[in-house]
Amino acid sequence: MGKNSPPPLANRLRTSLLHFLVIPYMSKPLHLGLDHFDSQIRNALAKGLGLDAESLKLERPRDEKLGQFAFPCFRFAKEQKANPKELAQKLADSFQVDSITPSATGPFLNFQIDPSALVKRVATDAAQSNYGAGNLSGKVVVEYSSPNIAKPMHVGHLRTTVIGAALSRLAERAGHDVARINHLGDWGSQFGKLVAAWNRWGNEGELENDPIAHLLQLYVRYHEEEKEDETLPADAKLAFQELESGEENETRAIWKRFTEFSLREFNRTFERLGSEFDFVRGESWYEDQLDPLLEWLESTGVLEESDGATIVDLKEHGIKTPCLVKTAHGTTLYATRDLAAAKSRWEEFQFEQALYVVGAEQNLHFQQFTTVLKKAGCEWANRIEHISFGLIRLLEGKLSTREGRVLSLTEVLDRAVELAAEIIEEKNPDLSDKEAVAERVGVGAILFHDLKHQRNKDVVFNWEEVLSFEGDTGPYLQYSHARCCAILRKSEREAPSFDSINLELLSDSPELFVALGRYPQALRESWEKREPMILAQHLLKMASAGNAFYRDKRVLGEKEELESARLCAIDLLRKTLADGLGILGVPTPEEM
RNA sequence: GCGCCUGUGGCUCAACUGGAUAGAGCAUCUGACUACGGAUCAGAAGGUUGGGGGUUCGAAUCCUCCCAGGCGCACCA
């Protein structure tokens, strides 16, 4: 340890206390990795420029060879009426932090971390079980998945389910207390339609045999026949009114059965995808809060009558379409139930943030219902975030249950698992527990494929692409992880811990430790931007750095001290990959 | 018609939210297993960032106008 510049502990405590008081909402990870050097550099630069360290942001050099951090001087040169190149040089000359070498490259100031210090810092931090954890607090509610009862889950539900689950885990790692809510579509006029269809054409045997298929059949038939048969929509409307009446009648009993059957099937899929929920609360859960909600809206004076329906006009908020909260024939709507749910959740959780992982086609709906809340005087409506995502389309067009363009999620998962099984048979026929591994690899491929792109872009579903197991894919990451496991297994001893080895021996591999060291930043940004893709892309970089490491650096059979050090590096890589994949929900088999 | 989103090598996507020579994977071509797992690695080729104009030290990114695609726009969810 150098003797001139490490800041005294008291100073560090004071600055972190300051952070806590001044900027409590900013994430301050407990185990920083490379962020440790980031703040050291910013503090030194801030002093040189007479600015606040928080206002400075470091970037990455174009080329890793130039260093790990870059600071473009243009902006500050302008403020100080100086030449950027000269400022860069001036800052470089006066920069003094242990183990960090600045170099002015034109108007850019680059920083090279001494490999030995870098390895030491990153190895120490990455060995912690909560590497990259933040110190945020407060409740975050995440609503995701939310399939509709009586309909099969299709590929469209994949996105909300895996994005929601990943964001929930990211929020937890950032320090939040998370409530995961599955807002099942178990209410609404569609159930009136379904009951009407069931009463005409329902078949007990088929329902027992394959409930969702039969219910889907009824639903499709309803839409085929409603145009010709006027009594059908009338029956449907009546049935939904009966359901909303709250009475324990025949209609309600049928609806309950449909719900139970559907949930049983959904749970199998949630389990395969590794999705967990703290609350499985359908829209019906808010049933008895609908009237109080309408009364409350009435009391705030936002309700109006229009064509017999009850609406909230939003023109003065720039939204031309009013929000309907009650139909002319007295039933509630989607927006009514979302309003009730939001209010109920606020009262229950006092959330810091409420995330709704719902497709982009509902942008208007979200604008409407959050604006209604604001108009009614709820400042907390600002804490609601619509995490929208682009829709999955088939080449033939948009998915549509009614029009029979469906692609069942189970089918997609099954095909991926089947293909994984074939590949295992070809590459690793002696593997034990092949079926279980195929399941994990197949599902992992589908999951990762969905998470590696920016949320809000539409995707055209392409079998060849989602079933790809090579290149930037889930199986590639799983493979890298499995190879680490293989090396550790073959060493036939416990992986040595970072404080029992000579870390100096690893300073010939700074690239691996840079990748590991940027993991906390990836976690943080991924959460801040609500973008799992950031973590997914970083894991690819880590795996790639890892592949280069065990290609160039022999582990087993080296002198004991060196073997220990490299085993430790492999173990840190293994552990960090597993951690990141776990957050994304991608399984990590030890062999494949 | 109005509103929101998207447009980057043949294909699928990145680019640290205005920074350096626009980076990856697939496909194509060349090379690497008597080597801790070839679901891998090394290399080659491939770009006027949909088009025009503007803002400035600097634009894929910001403003503007076009073009193309997607989604949404009152009693469905």
Side-chain angles (χ1 to χ4, degrees):
Chain A
M1 187 153 295
K3 53 185 170 201
N4 19 11
S5 59
L9 186 63
N11 265 2
R12 272 185 284 172
L13 283 178
R14 196 163 44 205
T15 41
S16 59
L17 186 64
L18 199 68
H19 278 309
F20 185 69
L21 293 173
V22 178
I23 331 176
Y25 48 84
M26 273 197 69
S27 173
K28 277 280 135 189
L30 302 167
H31 301 290
L32 303 161
L34 273 197
D35 279 353
H36 168 80
F37 301 104
D38 183 288
S39 46
Q40 280 194 320
I41 293 170
R42 285 201 338 264
N43 284 335
L45 286 175
K47 214 177 281 174
L49 288 161
L51 292 168
D52 178 15
E54 290 299 333
S55 67
L56 305 180
K57 190 158 181 286
L58 298 183
E59 301 179 357
R60 280 193 285 282
R62 198 87 242 127
D63 188 344
E64 281 279 345
K65 288 187 195 96
L66 292 169
Q68 289 72 47
F69 296 99
F71 183 67
C73 295
F74 305 98
R75 230 176 75 212
F76 308 94
K78 199 173 188 178
E79 279 165 19
Q80 306 194 351
K81 300 202 166 102
N83 178 315
K85 287 184 191 179
E86 284 165 17
L87 179 63
Q89 193 58 54
K90 201 183 103 193
L91 287 169
D93 292 342
S94 63
F95 187 89
Q96 269 201 326
V97 177
D98 263 11
S99 309
I100 301 176
T101 313
S103 63
T105 313
F108 288 88
L109 189 52
N110 295 317
F111 300 92
Q112 195 72 248
I113 314 296
D114 170 55
S116 148
L118 185 146
V119 167
K120 191 169 183 181
R121 179 82 239 169
V122 172
T124 309
D125 285 354
Q128 312 301 319
S129 62
N130 52 352
Y131 184 38
N135 69 348
L136 297 179
S137 60
K139 194 84 173 181
V140 171
V141 173
V142 185
E143 176 192 301
Y144 66 100
S145 198
S146 315
N148 291 323
I149 296 297
K151 290 188 200 172
M153 283 180 82
H154 57 75
V155 281
H157 294 110
L158 182 65
R159 309 211 71 195
T160 164
T161 307
V162 302
I163 292 170
L167 287 177
S168 299
R169 295 187 199 101
L170 283 165
E172 272 174 350
R173 185 58 64 93
H176 287 293
D177 183 18
V178 177
R180 298 157 163 86
I181 301 183
N182 191 339
H183 191 61
L184 293 174
D186 65 352
W187 205 248
S189 56
Q190 52 172 333
F191 290 97
K193 295 175 185 176
L194 203 56
V195 169
W198 167 258
N199 286 338
R200 295 197 185 198
W201 314 302
N203 179 307
E204 193 61 40
E206 283 181 42
L207 182 72
E208 292 284 346
N209 187 34
D210 190 348
I212 293 201
H214 185 54
L215 292 173
L216 177 64
Q217 210 177 19
L218 291 176
Y219 188 71
V220 170
R221 184 161 173 193
Y222 173 92
H223 283 281
E224 281 165 5
E225 300 203 11
E226 76 169 341
K227 289 155 208 151
E228 279 94 62
D229 183 354
E230 282 176 15
T231 63
L232 196 52
D235 285 355
K237 219 167 264 182
L238 187 68
F240 184 48
Q241 280 166 349
E242 280 174 9
L243 200 54
E244 280 220 305
S245 73
E247 289 163 22
E248 291 297 331
N249 50 29
E250 178 75 8
T251 301
R252 174 162 292 246
I254 297 171
W255 167 79
K256 266 188 190 160
R257 279 190 77 203
F258 291 171
T259 305
E260 282 161 20
F261 278 126
S262 304
L263 253 181
R264 213 178 299 158
E265 202 149 316
F266 292 159
N267 280 335
R268 273 201 292 271
T269 304
F270 295 146
E271 205 172 307
R272 291 183 83 177
L273 295 175
S275 300
E276 289 168 351
F277 300 95
D278 302 299
F279 305 96
V280 179
R281 288 179 181 170
E283 294 180 77
S284 64
W285 197 81
Y286 306 93
E287 187 186 351
D288 58 3
Q289 300 174 43
L290 293 173
D291 284 339
L293 174 93
L294 288 167
E295 282 161 27
W296 168 71
L297 284 175
E298 182 67 55
S299 75
T300 63
V302 299
L303 296 184
E304 290 174 33
E305 285 277 316
S306 173
D307 294 342
T310 310
I311 67 162
V312 180
D313 186 274
L314 302 168
K315 280 200 200 76
E316 78 240 31
H317 294 84
I319 301 172
K320 287 177 184 164
T321 321
C323 183
L324 263 80
V325 295
K326 204 166 191 182
T327 66
H329 50 271
T331 52
T332 63
L333 290 123
Y334 184 43
T336 328
R337 296 186 286 275
D338 252 355
L339 286 164
K343 193 157 181 290
S344 153
R345 290 172 194 174
W346 169 248
E347 282 155 11
E348 182 173 359
F349 299 113
Q350 303 280 304
F351 49 75
E352 207 81 17
Q353 277 130 18
L355 272 48
Y356 287 74
V357 187
V358 178
E361 66 269 26
Q362 292 191 30
N363 280 345
L364 177 61
H365 165 75
F366 270 86
Q367 274 178 31
Q368 287 178 322
F369 107 81
T370 52
T371 308
V372 168
L373 289 171
K374 283 175 207 164
K375 191 172 174 179
C378 305
E379 46 71 39
W380 53 264
N382 290 316
R383 303 181 184 204
I384 293 177
E385 280 180 61
H386 177 201
I387 309 298
S388 70
F389 54 84
L391 77 165
I392 298 188
R393 286 181 304 131
L394 302 180
L395 275 173
E396 310 86 71
K398 193 183 171 182
L399 291 163
S400 164
T401 309
R402 287 186 197 177
E403 289 164 37
R405 269 196 308 276
V406 288
L407 184 50
S408 114
L409 182 49
T410 309
E411 185 192 341
V412 173
L413 293 174
D414 286 348
R415 289 251 315 246
V417 170
E418 204 180 299
L419 183 65
E422 282 171 26
I423 295 176
I424 288 171
E425 208 52 60
E426 176 193 322
K427 295 182 190 266
N428 199 357
D430 299 329
L431 181 67
S432 59
D433 215 2
K434 281 189 260 195
E435 267 178 45
V437 174
E439 168 75 21
R440 305 182 83 193
V441 172
V443 170
I446 298 294
L447 256 156
F448 188 81
H449 176 264
D450 216 48
L451 288 170
K452 80 170 180 187
H453 306 125
Q454 281 179 22
R455 284 186 344 243
N456 63 333
K457 296 201 179 180
D458 289 354
V459 287
V460 175
F461 187 87
N462 178 338
W463 277 110
E464 196 182 337
E465 203 189 301
V466 297
L467 294 182
S468 162
F469 288 12
E470 285 170 17
D472 287 353
T473 64
Y476 167 75
L477 292 173
Q478 292 174 318
Y479 175 78
S480 305
H481 172 265
R483 283 197 63 182
C484 292
C485 292
I487 294 174
L488 292 163
R489 197 166 48 238
K490 284 176 185 164
S491 80
E492 290 178 340
R493 59 179 172 121
E494 282 285 299
S497 96
F498 73 96
D499 50 10
S500 71
I501 62 161
N502 181 356
L503 285 166
E504 213 53 54
L505 294 171
L506 295 173
S507 37
D508 61 351
S509 309
E511 298 85 0
L512 175 63
F513 286 86
V514 167
L516 289 173
R518 289 200 205 280
Y519 180 69
Q521 188 188 0
L523 287 176
R524 194 182 66 239
E525 283 182 11
S526 206
W527 167 240
E528 280 172 359
K529 294 174 184 162
R530 280 78 163 117
E531 194 64 271
M533 179 261 319
I534 293 174
L535 175 58
Q537 300 284 347
H538 184 72
L539 292 181
L540 290 169
K541 283 194 188 128
M542 267 173 36
S544 165
N547 274 306
F549 177 80
Y550 51 61
R551 179 197 65 223
D552 296 333
K553 309 288 192 311
R554 178 84 201 171
V555 178
L556 303 180
E558 293 287 342
K559 277 194 311 203
E560 197 190 329
E561 196 188 24
L562 185 59
E563 183 183 283
S564 292
R566 288 186 177 165
L567 271 175
C568 175
I570 291 286
D571 191 45
L572 290 174
L573 173 63
R574 189 220 97 239
K575 174 185 162 298
T576 313
L577 276 175
D579 187 66
L581 287 169
I583 286 176
L584 295 181
V586 176
T588 46
E590 297 190 358
E591 286 182 81
M592 59 190 274

